[in-house]
Amino acid sequence: MNVDEMLSGARDAMTVKRVYGDPIERDGMLVIPAAKVIGGGGGGGGGAEGGGAGFAVRATPAGAWIIRDGTVSWEPAVDATRIATTGMLVAIVFLWTIRSIAKAQAKAKMAGR
């Protein structure tokens, strides 16, 4: 793949269609889904050996624009995995803190004897 082909692919990948989905109309309401899109690429040459290039795109749901009765509102997407992971990390840090306090108290108690 040459650089021109990679740049063409990057241009095609990073369009507004990647951020906003096709509008969905149902029961007098219009929903326009939206995503967070991140992309990056790189390339290099190795002289006579040739070169290489690559490009990647990552998209995650962000939410949706809701149009109902002439009123527009934003409904954010809920990432349950991120919420659960954050909750687990907070619990682990809490337990480590309690453990450290208990060890320090036990050590102080033993030194006081």
Side-chain angles (χ1 to χ4, degrees), residues 79-100:
D79 187 350
T81 303
R82 186 174 184 181
I83 292 169
T85 303
T86 302
M88 286 186 263
L89 288 173
V90 168
I92 289 168
V93 170
F94 175 75
L95 293 172
W96 277 345
T97 303
I98 296 298
R99 179 177 172 251
S100 296

Side-chain angles (χ1 to χ4, degrees), residues 4 6 11 14 18 24 27 34 49 80 89 94:
D4 290 333
M6 186 189 79
R11 257 185 258 111
M14 299 300 288
R18 297 280 184 209
I24 302 163
D27 299 329
E49 294 97 37
L89 288 173
F94 175 75

Side-chain angles (χ1 to χ4, degrees), residues 24-90:
I24 302 163
E25 189 172 357
R26 189 164 291 143
D27 299 329
M29 176 174 48
L30 185 66
V31 178
I32 304 170
K36 296 177 191 172
V37 180
I38 299 170
E49 294 97 37
F55 184 79
V57 176
R58 178 175 184 241
T60 55
W65 290 104
I66 311 293
I67 304 170
R68 183 183 309 141
D69 299 327
T71 303
V72 179
S73 62
W74 171 255
E75 290 291 328
V78 176
D79 187 350
T81 303
R82 186 174 184 181
I83 292 169
T85 303
T86 302
M88 286 186 263
L89 288 173
V90 168

